[in-house]
Amino acid sequence: MIATFARTVLLFSLILAAGCERQPAVYHEQLLVFGTVVDIKLWGVQPQRGQQAVARLAEDFDYMHRTWHAWHPGPLGRVNELLTSGKPFTATPSVLPLIQRGSELSRLSGGLFNPAIGKLIELWGFASDEAPKGPPPSDAAIRAILDQQPSMADIQLDGIKMQAQNPALKLDFGAFAKGYAVDRAIEVLREMGIDNAVVNAGGDLRAIGRHGDRPWRVGIRHPREAGILASVEVEGDESVFTSGDYERYFDWQGKRYDHIIDPRSGYPAQGLSSVTVFTQQADLADAAATALFVAGPDEKDWLPVARAMGISGAMLVDDKGRVQITPGIRKRIYFEPRNDADKTQPEIHISAAL
Amino acid sequence: MIALKLSRGDIVVWLLAATLLVGLYTAFWQSDGRGAEAVVLVNGKRWARLDLFQNQDLEVPGPLGHSHIQVRNGQVRFVASPCPNKLCVHTGWLSQGGEVAICLPNKVSLQILGSDPRFDTINF
């Protein structure tokens, strides 16, 4: 009897021990940089190496933040001053790649992603460390900028010489600098031989490799409620970027004005509460999330933009909570029940394939 | 293979063991994703680790002044912070593993830890 009992206890301990995995080898650190929290997870990396890598990323993010800030003084500010002069000048090397990539993405989006509308963003009060309180600007003031149609095509690049003729042009890379920075961070990690990582800059992320023997698990926050709307597994190399009307906005006389300005109307884009884009490159994902948000909730409006930009998937949540999703993403995504009592799922419409 | 001759006592032990195993499995692995702890960072450095089921109020010192953080019944939030835009306060209650609220001007951040978080990272 005692022997049997001992055997049982031994067997039982073995079963339990088998259930206890070794702590996963994730190196985790958060940085307060780039005007947000950057959350970095590296899998299978020794702490010392992890520290080195994160210190390097912290420096890079800090540099990019100072260089590309849309309203603090710095290199982008100087470029903006020189652009309004109308005269040719030598392009600043730290800003040039952003202008080139920004122009390319703007063209692909048919101008819906337009980093040249810094003056409109300023007019709405979103180019500020403080949230605007309203009132919204006047139609006349908006019209005055729109009539001059600022766009990336106004910038003429000739070697390292740069010039623009449009006085309404002002660069604001807020809708894609974060994606560009995340791409650089992933490049740096790969150069350091780190192939399994997630870099999440204020909610927008790119993940490479895997979390050990499983993919990375990404939760997508609900645009209107606390908690998670859906989850998706990511492995290999993919970015997940969301643009939402809840990120920056102000309410004025019962109406919400969000920070995503439609370059066609000069007013905040209407109809959607969030757009999540899935694709490899983070800068593309970032710009496309803005472009699709501006395109609006009608499939015949946003789908052609998604196709033209070449993203691999998208999920759009409209202001009534209805979800549209591309078929490839639908297969991979799991909609979380809101709580234990309520198992209802949002109304989901699967769009045509990209 | 040893032939096991099971007495009534053995069966009771085995049943107890099986019950305990199921119980432990459920307790440890079937987490609903709600975190039990949160961490407060000031300037990226850990300032406090909070038990979310121990209600309390904290005054966290940052460069601009004190951020008021409140813990109530498994949730945590910024109640007040000396920042201009109050984005941290607007974030509201956090309860799920991985959720974050930050006060950038005052360099204070708040994140829920999960003992078995369902997600490695949160997109928003």
Side-chain angles (χ1 to χ4, degrees), chain A residues 101-129:
Chain A
R101 181 72 172 141
S103 302
E104 187 187 344
L105 291 169
S106 184
R107 192 170 38 75
L108 288 174
S109 75
L112 297 188
F113 159 70
N114 184 353
I117 58 163
K119 281 217 189 316
L120 274 174
I121 292 168
E122 201 174 50
L123 184 65
W124 278 93
F126 289 111
S128 162
D129 292 329

PDB file of all heavy atoms in Angstrom, chain A residues 101-129:
ATOM      1  N   ARG A 101      10.121  58.156 -49.789  1.00  0.00           N
ATOM      2  CA  ARG A 101       9.192  57.058 -49.518  1.00  0.00           C
ATOM      3  C   ARG A 101       7.772  57.590 -49.327  1.00  0.00           C
ATOM      4  O   ARG A 101       6.808  56.979 -49.779  1.00  0.00           O
ATOM      5  CB  ARG A 101       9.684  56.294 -48.279  1.00  0.00           C
ATOM      6  CG  ARG A 101       8.843  55.107 -47.894  1.00  0.00           C
ATOM      7  CD  ARG A 101       8.983  53.945 -48.852  1.00  0.00           C
ATOM      8  NE  ARG A 101       8.299  52.756 -48.322  1.00  0.00           N
ATOM      9  CZ  ARG A 101       7.602  51.913 -49.073  1.00  0.00           C
ATOM     10  NH1 ARG A 101       7.510  52.091 -50.376  1.00  0.00           N
ATOM     11  NH2 ARG A 101       7.009  50.865 -48.527  1.00  0.00           N
ATOM     12  N   GLY A 102       7.665  58.749 -48.664  1.00  0.00           N
ATOM     13  CA  GLY A 102       6.357  59.371 -48.457  1.00  0.00           C
ATOM     14  C   GLY A 102       5.678  59.720 -49.783  1.00  0.00           C
ATOM     15  O   GLY A 102       4.479  59.527 -49.949  1.00  0.00           O
ATOM     16  N   SER A 103       6.469  60.222 -50.737  1.00  0.00           N
ATOM     17  CA  SER A 103       5.914  60.580 -52.056  1.00  0.00           C
ATOM     18  C   SER A 103       5.404  59.339 -52.769  1.00  0.00           C
ATOM     19  O   SER A 103       4.321  59.335 -53.365  1.00  0.00           O
ATOM     20  CB  SER A 103       6.998  61.227 -52.933  1.00  0.00           C
ATOM     21  OG  SER A 103       7.503  62.360 -52.303  1.00  0.00           O
ATOM     22  N   GLU A 104       6.198  58.264 -52.687  1.00  0.00           N
ATOM     23  CA  GLU A 104       5.837  57.012 -53.360  1.00  0.00           C
ATOM     24  C   GLU A 104       4.517  56.462 -52.789  1.00  0.00           C
ATOM     25  O   GLU A 104       3.601  56.102 -53.539  1.00  0.00           O
ATOM     26  CB  GLU A 104       6.989  56.035 -53.129  1.00  0.00           C
ATOM     27  CG  GLU A 104       6.891  54.736 -53.871  1.00  0.00           C
ATOM     28  CD  GLU A 104       8.000  53.762 -53.424  1.00  0.00           C
ATOM     29  OE1 GLU A 104       8.982  54.211 -52.781  1.00  0.00           O
ATOM     30  OE2 GLU A 104       7.863  52.565 -53.708  1.00  0.00           O
ATOM     31  N   LEU A 105       4.427  56.431 -51.461  1.00  0.00           N
ATOM     32  CA  LEU A 105       3.223  55.879 -50.824  1.00  0.00           C
ATOM     33  C   LEU A 105       2.013  56.771 -51.084  1.00  0.00           C
ATOM     34  O   LEU A 105       0.896  56.292 -51.279  1.00  0.00           O
ATOM     35  CB  LEU A 105       3.449  55.704 -49.322  1.00  0.00           C
ATOM     36  CG  LEU A 105       4.440  54.606 -48.938  1.00  0.00           C
ATOM     37  CD1 LEU A 105       4.811  54.679 -47.469  1.00  0.00           C
ATOM     38  CD2 LEU A 105       3.865  53.228 -49.262  1.00  0.00           C
ATOM     39  N   SER A 106       2.235  58.077 -51.112  1.00  0.00           N
ATOM     40  CA  SER A 106       1.147  59.017 -51.372  1.00  0.00           C
ATOM     41  C   SER A 106       0.576  58.797 -52.783  1.00  0.00           C
ATOM     42  O   SER A 106      -0.628  58.774 -52.989  1.00  0.00           O
ATOM     43  CB  SER A 106       1.665  60.446 -51.216  1.00  0.00           C
ATOM     44  OG  SER A 106       0.606  61.358 -51.375  1.00  0.00           O
ATOM     45  N   ARG A 107       1.500  58.596 -53.730  1.00  0.00           N
ATOM     46  CA  ARG A 107       1.087  58.357 -55.117  1.00  0.00           C
ATOM     47  C   ARG A 107       0.283  57.054 -55.210  1.00  0.00           C
ATOM     48  O   ARG A 107      -0.788  57.016 -55.817  1.00  0.00           O
ATOM     49  CB  ARG A 107       2.346  58.279 -55.986  1.00  0.00           C
ATOM     50  CG  ARG A 107       2.110  58.313 -57.479  1.00  0.00           C
ATOM     51  CD  ARG A 107       3.418  58.483 -58.267  1.00  0.00           C
ATOM     52  NE  ARG A 107       4.554  57.749 -57.711  1.00  0.00           N
ATOM     53  CZ  ARG A 107       4.725  56.422 -57.803  1.00  0.00           C
ATOM     54  NH1 ARG A 107       3.848  55.671 -58.438  1.00  0.00           N
ATOM     55  NH2 ARG A 107       5.776  55.831 -57.258  1.00  0.00           N
ATOM     56  N   LEU A 108       0.783  55.985 -54.570  1.00  0.00           N
ATOM     57  CA  LEU A 108       0.072  54.705 -54.596  1.00  0.00           C
ATOM     58  C   LEU A 108      -1.338  54.827 -54.007  1.00  0.00           C
ATOM     59  O   LEU A 108      -2.268  54.154 -54.441  1.00  0.00           O
ATOM     60  CB  LEU A 108       0.848  53.647 -53.798  1.00  0.00           C
ATOM     61  CG  LEU A 108       2.133  53.114 -54.426  1.00  0.00           C
ATOM     62  CD1 LEU A 108       2.853  52.196 -53.450  1.00  0.00           C
ATOM     63  CD2 LEU A 108       1.816  52.364 -55.718  1.00  0.00           C
ATOM     64  N   SER A 109      -1.492  55.688 -53.004  1.00  0.00           N
ATOM     65  CA  SER A 109      -2.785  55.797 -52.322  1.00  0.00           C
ATOM     66  C   SER A 109      -3.741  56.724 -53.071  1.00  0.00           C
ATOM     67  O   SER A 109      -4.847  56.986 -52.592  1.00  0.00           O
ATOM     68  CB  SER A 109      -2.580  56.343 -50.900  1.00  0.00           C
ATOM     69  OG  SER A 109      -2.308  57.736 -50.953  1.00  0.00           O
ATOM     70  N   GLY A 110      -3.305  57.234 -54.211  1.00  0.00           N
ATOM     71  CA  GLY A 110      -4.129  58.187 -54.951  1.00  0.00           C
ATOM     72  C   GLY A 110      -4.295  59.493 -54.180  1.00  0.00           C
ATOM     73  O   GLY A 110      -5.306  60.187 -54.326  1.00  0.00           O
ATOM     74  N   GLY A 111      -3.328  59.813 -53.333  1.00  0.00           N
ATOM     75  CA  GLY A 111      -3.361  61.078 -52.588  1.00  0.00           C
ATOM     76  C   GLY A 111      -4.170  61.035 -51.303  1.00  0.00           C
ATOM     77  O   GLY A 111      -4.275  62.041 -50.606  1.00  0.00           O
ATOM     78  N   LEU A 112      -4.776  59.881 -50.979  1.00  0.00           N
ATOM     79  CA  LEU A 112      -5.551  59.805 -49.727  1.00  0.00           C
ATOM     80  C   LEU A 112      -4.633  59.824 -48.511  1.00  0.00           C
ATOM     81  O   LEU A 112      -4.989  60.322 -47.451  1.00  0.00           O
ATOM     82  CB  LEU A 112      -6.440  58.559 -49.709  1.00  0.00           C
ATOM     83  CG  LEU A 112      -7.510  58.507 -50.792  1.00  0.00           C
ATOM     84  CD1 LEU A 112      -8.447  57.331 -50.542  1.00  0.00           C
ATOM     85  CD2 LEU A 112      -8.303  59.798 -50.850  1.00  0.00           C
ATOM     86  N   PHE A 113      -3.456  59.223 -48.664  1.00  0.00           N
ATOM     87  CA  PHE A 113      -2.395  59.438 -47.682  1.00  0.00           C
ATOM     88  C   PHE A 113      -1.571  60.598 -48.240  1.00  0.00           C
ATOM     89  O   PHE A 113      -0.975  60.472 -49.302  1.00  0.00           O
ATOM     90  CB  PHE A 113      -1.544  58.176 -47.526  1.00  0.00           C
ATOM     91  CG  PHE A 113      -0.179  58.434 -46.939  1.00  0.00           C
ATOM     92  CD1 PHE A 113      -0.054  58.806 -45.603  1.00  0.00           C
ATOM     93  CD2 PHE A 113       0.978  58.336 -47.716  1.00  0.00           C
ATOM     94  CE1 PHE A 113       1.204  59.065 -45.056  1.00  0.00           C
ATOM     95  CE2 PHE A 113       2.231  58.595 -47.169  1.00  0.00           C
ATOM     96  CZ  PHE A 113       2.343  58.963 -45.849  1.00  0.00           C
ATOM     97  N   ASN A 114      -1.624  61.739 -47.557  1.00  0.00           N
ATOM     98  CA  ASN A 114      -0.956  62.928 -48.089  1.00  0.00           C
ATOM     99  C   ASN A 114      -0.163  63.635 -46.998  1.00  0.00           C
ATOM    100  O   ASN A 114      -0.716  64.403 -46.221  1.00  0.00           O
ATOM    101  CB  ASN A 114      -2.008  63.866 -48.692  1.00  0.00           C
ATOM    102  CG  ASN A 114      -1.370  65.079 -49.357  1.00  0.00           C
ATOM    103  OD1 ASN A 114      -0.166  65.290 -49.249  1.00  0.00           O
ATOM    104  ND2 ASN A 114      -2.181  65.884 -50.024  1.00  0.00           N
ATOM    105  N   PRO A 115       1.150  63.378 -46.932  1.00  0.00           N
ATOM    106  CA  PRO A 115       1.955  64.021 -45.880  1.00  0.00           C
ATOM    107  C   PRO A 115       2.227  65.491 -46.149  1.00  0.00           C
ATOM    108  O   PRO A 115       2.926  66.127 -45.363  1.00  0.00           O
ATOM    109  CB  PRO A 115       3.267  63.215 -45.881  1.00  0.00           C
ATOM    110  CG  PRO A 115       3.230  62.298 -47.029  1.00  0.00           C
ATOM    111  CD  PRO A 115       1.937  62.459 -47.773  1.00  0.00           C
ATOM    112  N   ALA A 116       1.654  66.055 -47.225  1.00  0.00           N
ATOM    113  CA  ALA A 116       1.899  67.470 -47.543  1.00  0.00           C
ATOM    114  C   ALA A 116       0.851  68.388 -46.925  1.00  0.00           C
ATOM    115  O   ALA A 116       0.883  69.601 -47.126  1.00  0.00           O
ATOM    116  CB  ALA A 116       1.939  67.661 -49.069  1.00  0.00           C
ATOM    117  N   ILE A 117      -0.114  67.829 -46.174  1.00  0.00           N
ATOM    118  CA  ILE A 117      -1.196  68.666 -45.643  1.00  0.00           C
ATOM    119  C   ILE A 117      -0.959  69.093 -44.190  1.00  0.00           C
ATOM    120  O   ILE A 117      -1.898  69.282 -43.414  1.00  0.00           O
ATOM    121  CB  ILE A 117      -2.578  67.969 -45.754  1.00  0.00           C
ATOM    122  CG1 ILE A 117      -2.580  66.625 -45.001  1.00  0.00           C
ATOM    123  CG2 ILE A 117      -2.996  67.802 -47.204  1.00  0.00           C
ATOM    124  CD1 ILE A 117      -3.973  66.074 -44.721  1.00  0.00           C
ATOM    125  N   GLY A 118       0.330  69.309 -43.857  1.00  0.00           N
ATOM    126  CA  GLY A 118       0.668  69.759 -42.503  1.00  0.00           C
ATOM    127  C   GLY A 118      -0.083  71.020 -42.092  1.00  0.00           C
ATOM    128  O   GLY A 118      -0.447  71.179 -40.922  1.00  0.00           O
ATOM    129  N   LYS A 119      -0.348  71.902 -43.054  1.00  0.00           N
ATOM    130  CA  LYS A 119      -1.057  73.153 -42.714  1.00  0.00           C
ATOM    131  C   LYS A 119      -2.496  72.894 -42.274  1.00  0.00           C
ATOM    132  O   LYS A 119      -3.020  73.570 -41.395  1.00  0.00           O
ATOM    133  CB  LYS A 119      -1.031  74.116 -43.914  1.00  0.00           C
ATOM    134  CG  LYS A 119       0.294  74.858 -44.073  1.00  0.00           C
ATOM    135  CD  LYS A 119       0.040  76.283 -44.550  1.00  0.00           C
ATOM    136  CE  LYS A 119       1.283  77.048 -44.936  1.00  0.00           C
ATOM    137  NZ  LYS A 119       2.430  76.948 -44.072  1.00  0.00           N
ATOM    138  N   LEU A 120      -3.140  71.894 -42.909  1.00  0.00           N
ATOM    139  CA  LEU A 120      -4.508  71.533 -42.500  1.00  0.00           C
ATOM    140  C   LEU A 120      -4.513  70.932 -41.099  1.00  0.00           C
ATOM    141  O   LEU A 120      -5.379  71.244 -40.276  1.00  0.00           O
ATOM    142  CB  LEU A 120      -5.101  70.510 -43.482  1.00  0.00           C
ATOM    143  CG  LEU A 120      -5.789  71.042 -44.731  1.00  0.00           C
ATOM    144  CD1 LEU A 120      -6.186  69.883 -45.637  1.00  0.00           C
ATOM    145  CD2 LEU A 120      -7.025  71.864 -44.353  1.00  0.00           C
ATOM    146  N   ILE A 121      -3.544  70.081 -40.838  1.00  0.00           N
ATOM    147  CA  ILE A 121      -3.466  69.421 -39.527  1.00  0.00           C
ATOM    148  C   ILE A 121      -3.234  70.470 -38.440  1.00  0.00           C
ATOM    149  O   ILE A 121      -3.825  70.423 -37.362  1.00  0.00           O
ATOM    150  CB  ILE A 121      -2.378  68.334 -39.554  1.00  0.00           C
ATOM    151  CG1 ILE A 121      -2.841  67.206 -40.495  1.00  0.00           C
ATOM    152  CG2 ILE A 121      -2.098  67.781 -38.160  1.00  0.00           C
ATOM    153  CD1 ILE A 121      -1.803  66.213 -40.855  1.00  0.00           C
ATOM    154  N   GLU A 122      -2.396  71.460 -38.801  1.00  0.00           N
ATOM    155  CA  GLU A 122      -2.115  72.568 -37.881  1.00  0.00           C
ATOM    156  C   GLU A 122      -3.389  73.387 -37.644  1.00  0.00           C
ATOM    157  O   GLU A 122      -3.722  73.727 -36.512  1.00  0.00           O
ATOM    158  CB  GLU A 122      -1.068  73.440 -38.562  1.00  0.00           C
ATOM    159  CG  GLU A 122      -0.268  74.335 -37.689  1.00  0.00           C
ATOM    160  CD  GLU A 122       0.819  75.008 -38.550  1.00  0.00           C
ATOM    161  OE1 GLU A 122       0.509  75.571 -39.627  1.00  0.00           O
ATOM    162  OE2 GLU A 122       1.969  74.942 -38.144  1.00  0.00           O
ATOM    163  N   LEU A 123      -4.104  73.653 -38.731  1.00  0.00           N
ATOM    164  CA  LEU A 123      -5.334  74.445 -38.637  1.00  0.00           C
ATOM    165  C   LEU A 123      -6.354  73.778 -37.707  1.00  0.00           C
ATOM    166  O   LEU A 123      -7.056  74.443 -36.948  1.00  0.00           O
ATOM    167  CB  LEU A 123      -5.924  74.611 -40.048  1.00  0.00           C
ATOM    168  CG  LEU A 123      -7.166  75.487 -40.199  1.00  0.00           C
ATOM    169  CD1 LEU A 123      -6.834  76.934 -39.845  1.00  0.00           C
ATOM    170  CD2 LEU A 123      -7.711  75.406 -41.624  1.00  0.00           C
ATOM    171  N   TRP A 124      -6.423  72.464 -37.757  1.00  0.00           N
ATOM    172  CA  TRP A 124      -7.355  71.725 -36.896  1.00  0.00           C
ATOM    173  C   TRP A 124      -6.858  71.605 -35.459  1.00  0.00           C
ATOM    174  O   TRP A 124      -7.574  71.099 -34.592  1.00  0.00           O
ATOM    175  CB  TRP A 124      -7.624  70.326 -37.471  1.00  0.00           C
ATOM    176  CG  TRP A 124      -8.662  70.355 -38.556  1.00  0.00           C
ATOM    177  CD1 TRP A 124      -8.443  70.471 -39.894  1.00  0.00           C
ATOM    178  CD2 TRP A 124     -10.078  70.301 -38.379  1.00  0.00           C
ATOM    179  NE1 TRP A 124      -9.636  70.479 -40.566  1.00  0.00           N
ATOM    180  CE2 TRP A 124     -10.662  70.371 -39.659  1.00  0.00           C
ATOM    181  CE3 TRP A 124     -10.918  70.194 -37.274  1.00  0.00           C
ATOM    182  CZ2 TRP A 124     -12.041  70.345 -39.867  1.00  0.00           C
ATOM    183  CZ3 TRP A 124     -12.294  70.159 -37.471  1.00  0.00           C
ATOM    184  CH2 TRP A 124     -12.836  70.245 -38.758  1.00  0.00           C
ATOM    185  N   GLY A 125      -5.602  72.011 -35.246  1.00  0.00           N
ATOM    186  CA  GLY A 125      -5.075  72.009 -33.876  1.00  0.00           C
ATOM    187  C   GLY A 125      -4.420  70.707 -33.464  1.00  0.00           C
ATOM    188  O   GLY A 125      -4.094  70.518 -32.295  1.00  0.00           O
ATOM    189  N   PHE A 126      -4.229  69.778 -34.432  1.00  0.00           N
ATOM    190  CA  PHE A 126      -3.646  68.489 -34.056  1.00  0.00           C
ATOM    191  C   PHE A 126      -2.117  68.502 -34.081  1.00  0.00           C
ATOM    192  O   PHE A 126      -1.484  67.545 -33.655  1.00  0.00           O
ATOM    193  CB  PHE A 126      -4.179  67.361 -34.952  1.00  0.00           C
ATOM    194  CG  PHE A 126      -5.624  67.037 -34.672  1.00  0.00           C
ATOM    195  CD1 PHE A 126      -6.616  67.338 -35.592  1.00  0.00           C
ATOM    196  CD2 PHE A 126      -5.991  66.457 -33.472  1.00  0.00           C
ATOM    197  CE1 PHE A 126      -7.951  67.053 -35.325  1.00  0.00           C
ATOM    198  CE2 PHE A 126      -7.320  66.168 -33.200  1.00  0.00           C
ATOM    199  CZ  PHE A 126      -8.303  66.470 -34.130  1.00  0.00           C
ATOM    200  N   ALA A 127      -1.524  69.589 -34.615  1.00  0.00           N
ATOM    201  CA  ALA A 127      -0.066  69.680 -34.601  1.00  0.00           C
ATOM    202  C   ALA A 127       0.362  70.365 -33.310  1.00  0.00           C
ATOM    203  O   ALA A 127       0.893  71.471 -33.313  1.00  0.00           O
ATOM    204  CB  ALA A 127       0.428  70.452 -35.824  1.00  0.00           C
ATOM    205  N   SER A 128       0.084  69.717 -32.201  1.00  0.00           N
ATOM    206  CA  SER A 128       0.344  70.307 -30.900  1.00  0.00           C
ATOM    207  C   SER A 128       0.480  69.210 -29.864  1.00  0.00           C
ATOM    208  O   SER A 128      -0.099  68.137 -30.001  1.00  0.00           O
ATOM    209  CB  SER A 128      -0.825  71.229 -30.536  1.00  0.00           C
ATOM    210  OG  SER A 128      -0.823  71.479 -29.144  1.00  0.00           O
ATOM    211  N   ASP A 129       1.239  69.492 -28.811  1.00  0.00           N
ATOM    212  CA  ASP A 129       1.369  68.514 -27.733  1.00  0.00           C
ATOM    213  C   ASP A 129       0.071  68.410 -26.944  1.00  0.00           C
ATOM    214  O   ASP A 129      -0.165  67.437 -26.249  1.00  0.00           O
ATOM    215  CB  ASP A 129       2.516  68.909 -26.793  1.00  0.00           C
ATOM    216  CG  ASP A 129       3.863  68.783 -27.485  1.00  0.00           C
ATOM    217  OD1 ASP A 129       3.981  67.910 -28.366  1.00  0.00           O
ATOM    218  OD2 ASP A 129       4.777  69.553 -27.163  1.00  0.00           O
TER     219      ASP A 129
END
